[in-house]
Amino acid sequence: MNVKSRFAKVLLCAIFVMLLTSPVEAQVDTGAILGTIRDQSGAVIPNAKVTITNEATQYTTSASSSATGTYTFTPVRVGTYTVTAGAPGFQTVTRPGIVVEIQRQVLVDFTLGPATVSSTVSITAETPLLETQRAAVQQVVNQRAINDLPLNGRNASFLAQLSAGVTFMQTDSRGLGASGGFAANGARPGSNNYMLDGIDNNSDIGDLINRTYYVLMPPPDALQEFSVQTSDYSAEFGHSAGAVLNAALKSGTNSLHGDLWEYLRNDALDAADFFLNAAGKPIAEYRQNQFGFTLGGPVDLPHYKGKDKTFFFMDYQGTRIRQGSTYVQNVPTAAERASGFTNFQDLIANQSGSRNDALGRTVPSGTIFDPATTRAVTMGAVDPVTGLIANSTGYVRDPFYGGSLRGVTNFTTPGAESLLNMIPAGRLNTNAVRLLNLLPAPTAGGIIGNFTDAPVNQEGVNSFDVRIDENLSSKDTMFGRYSYSATTNLYPGPYAGIADGAPNRPGSGTTDAS
């Protein structure tokens, strides 16, 4: 090996060290291939040679059957394999297309016939293999399902809801900020265990911005597959009582492969919003762009040929969402604002009904009473302010009224109503007036729901994954992966400027995850 080739090897090892940023206690993103070798009479064949070959990377490893004719390959990276078995004096039998999925123990038994001078049997089609080695209830969502099933927002965790005993999280939605959380077998969504490439992928803190329980979720194009185990899973999954979502990132192969995508949604074909329509406003803005790429293949450097040995895979996805959120709010009316908040007669004009007080006075709904006039009255006694005899014992207040209160019992006449709800400017707090002036002008008449607007919520996500796989020998393999995601959310409130009362959940802010 020349100096440059050695340097390439050292460089790759350094990359592995940098990528391995999380401790790996157990690799549970793999499967196993096992079975028994027999002759045509049913007797077991010990010391038979069994070889498995990854059809994408040509990685090959071999083992011998035990004294009882059994063999086991574990752990085995998810993928498609060719399994070959042979023994002296027997035929060599080849079984291509053996699919290994996450946490699946694939049973591949062989029956070897007596050999001729040179004979090899290739089995290309047979009954699908059935796993009988474990009791776990598991559903595997493979690459075809991930890519072909409709997936709004391109969040693969939504597909976990296709599993038996799984339902969507009640607080989740399909709109902006949907997390794909789910509940399995009645357990809380926070009781699920998320894993990526066999490594803990659980969020240890409450994510109020993204509302997710996992740290990272690669785009669908970058996922090889994932499994959802809902019950009876083995002790290595001891994190929680809910389901186990175990995802595996794609890896490179001997052929260069990848894809580009751009998914676009906008409001051009959306139906009009009822409240915006009623307020004479255009449909709320909606723009969603999701774009990215994947690329994988062998590491082929000028002085280092990594075919069959070293592979890379990378992906990037960017998400840009602009979505108008309709608010229907109450703001001061035009007359209230124009009067400097001294004229509140709209409160009476836009309401119906009336009420009576302990002095027998009838006032219209919406009347504002002067808190400085609060006083006690006794049934049968004369009130010194109005000269009226109290009908009951209690407390009364006088309305803000532009005329004399003496002897008036009916304030519902047009003439009396025109003198109500006129507040002297000297009674107003100047700071309160300034605060009210920060609110926007009404977009409609009335006092309820008289302001409608659709400020734009914004979400931006940039995420990527980089993975290196190295076949060190027929017995040893290793990989390193680094993933990163940065999410920025802006959720404006119904009012512009400093009057904005933005919601506190899910909230605006930035979240970084790696």
Side-chain angles (χ1 to χ4, degrees):
M1 182 182 295
N2 58 40
V3 174
K4 292 182 178 179
S5 179
R6 288 175 181 170
F7 174 76
K9 282 271 190 179
V10 172
L11 177 62
L12 287 172
C13 290
I15 294 175
F16 289 146
V17 172
M18 289 187 293
L19 291 177
L20 292 174
T21 58
S22 299
V24 181
E25 298 177 357
Q27 289 298 316
V28 292
D29 65 327
T30 56
I33 299 176
L34 67 162
T36 304
I37 314 296
R38 293 184 173 88
D39 60 21
Q40 291 182 332
S41 69
V44 300
I45 302 176
N47 297 319
K49 183 179 180 181
V50 185
T51 301
I52 64 170
T53 302
N54 187 305
E55 295 181 2
T57 65
Q58 298 304 307
Y59 171 72
T60 298
T61 185
S62 300
S64 297
S65 61
S66 66
T68 58
T70 61
Y71 72 92
T72 302
F73 292 94
T74 184
V76 177
R77 168 73 178 164
V78 295
T80 303
Y81 290 80
T82 296
V83 185
T84 302
F90 292 90
Q91 295 173 328
T92 298
V93 178
T94 299
R95 300 265 292 271
I98 303 300
V99 178
V100 177
E101 298 172 333
I102 295 178
Q103 282 293 295
R104 282 287 172 88
Q105 296 183 358
V106 184
L107 186 64
V108 185
D109 293 330
F110 286 89
T111 299
L112 307 183
T116 57
V117 176
S118 176
S119 61
T120 299
V121 178
S122 179
I123 302 174
T124 58
E126 62 176 21
T127 304
L129 301 173
L130 177 65
E131 181 185 359
T132 60
Q133 310 304 309
R134 299 185 305 120
V137 178
Q138 170 176 303
Q139 177 168 333
V140 174
V141 182
N142 58 28
Q143 184 177 337
R144 178 178 178 182
I146 294 174
N147 289 331
D148 292 351
L149 289 175
L151 196 57
N152 186 8
R154 291 178 53 77
N155 183 346
S157 64
F158 276 107
L159 297 177
Q161 299 171 15
L162 301 176
S163 302
V166 172
T167 185
F168 63 90
M169 187 170 64
Q170 290 184 350
T171 57
D172 207 8
S173 68
R174 294 283 178 168
L176 188 69
S179 68
F182 62 93
N185 297 328
R188 295 172 63 88
S191 297
N192 296 326
N193 185 6
Y194 292 90
M195 310 195 76
L196 180 59
D197 287 332
I199 302 172
D200 190 332
N201 191 30
N202 296 284
S203 178
D204 295 328
I205 59 174
D207 187 348
L208 299 183
I209 294 179
N210 298 312
R211 293 177 289 177
T212 60
Y213 293 98
Y214 52 79
V215 178
L216 297 157
M217 184 59 65
D221 300 73
L223 289 175
Q224 178 73 21
E225 65 184 33
F226 68 85
S227 69
V228 181
Q229 299 184 56
T230 55
S231 63
D232 292 334
Y233 36 80
S234 62
E236 60 190 319
F237 301 105
H239 176 270
S240 56
V244 179
L245 192 152
N246 196 353
L249 195 72
K250 287 181 179 178
S251 60
T253 65
N254 274 324
S255 60
L256 194 65
H257 61 279
D259 63 338
L260 295 168
W261 64 84
E262 162 75 22
Y263 292 87
L264 170 65
R265 295 178 59 195
N266 58 50
D267 54 72
L269 300 178
D270 288 350
D273 181 272
F274 173 81
F275 297 102
L276 292 175
N277 230 13
K281 285 182 169 287
I283 188 171
E285 178 182 350
Y286 185 75
R287 304 284 189 274
Q288 177 172 305
N289 296 78
Q290 289 183 287
F291 49 90
F293 72 91
T294 66
L295 182 64
V299 174
D300 192 3
L301 302 175
H303 300 287
Y304 178 78
K305 301 300 181 181
K307 185 178 180 181
D308 296 342
K309 290 184 62 64
T310 308
F311 308 92
F312 76 93
F313 179 83
M314 65 179 66
D315 67 83
Y316 165 80
Q317 178 167 275
T319 301
R320 305 292 184 268
I321 300 177
R322 302 293 183 267
Q323 181 175 4
S325 181
T326 303
Y327 288 96
V328 180
Q329 302 288 319
N330 307 327
V331 297
T333 66
E336 292 168 357
R337 183 181 295 273
S339 68
F341 301 101
T342 61
N343 181 354
F344 286 89
Q345 290 192 336
D346 281 344
L347 297 178
I348 297 175
N350 288 280
Q351 296 188 71
S352 60
S354 61
R355 54 167 291 188
N356 298 320
D357 66 2
L359 295 176
R361 297 181 296 183
T362 302
V363 294
S365 297
T367 299
I368 300 176
F369 294 87
D370 186 350
T373 63
T374 303
R375 62 188 179 276
V377 295
T378 304
M379 184 175 64
V382 176
D383 174 37
V385 176
T386 63
L388 300 175
I389 298 174
N391 294 332
S392 60
T393 299
Y395 289 86
V396 296
R397 286 179 177 176
D398 296 325
F400 282 103
Y401 188 63
S404 174
L405 295 171
R406 196 76 182 175
V408 180
T409 59
N410 186 7
F411 292 89
T412 62
T413 63
E417 285 188 0
S418 66
L419 299 177
L420 289 171
N421 286 11
M422 303 296 292
I423 302 176
R427 297 290 301 277
L428 299 179
N429 183 289
T430 56
N431 291 324
V433 172
R434 292 190 184 99
L435 289 174
L436 288 172
N437 280 323
L438 294 176
L439 296 173
T443 59
I447 59 174
I448 302 296
N450 59 1
F451 176 78
T452 304
D453 197 13
V456 179
N457 296 332
Q458 301 181 32
E459 178 177 344
V461 183
N462 292 294
S463 64
F464 68 87
D465 304 276
V466 178
R467 174 172 174 138
I468 299 290
D469 288 81
E470 175 73 13
N471 296 332
L472 299 173
S473 68
S474 63
K475 300 296 183 181
D476 299 297
T477 64
M478 66 180 296
F479 82 91
R481 173 182 55 81
Y482 182 77
S483 300
Y484 177 79
S485 176
T487 303
T488 301
N489 297 90
L490 175 61
Y491 294 92
Y495 309 129
I498 61 175
D500 176 18
N504 61 350
R505 293 189 68 181
S508 303
T510 301
T511 302
D512 293 335
S514 62

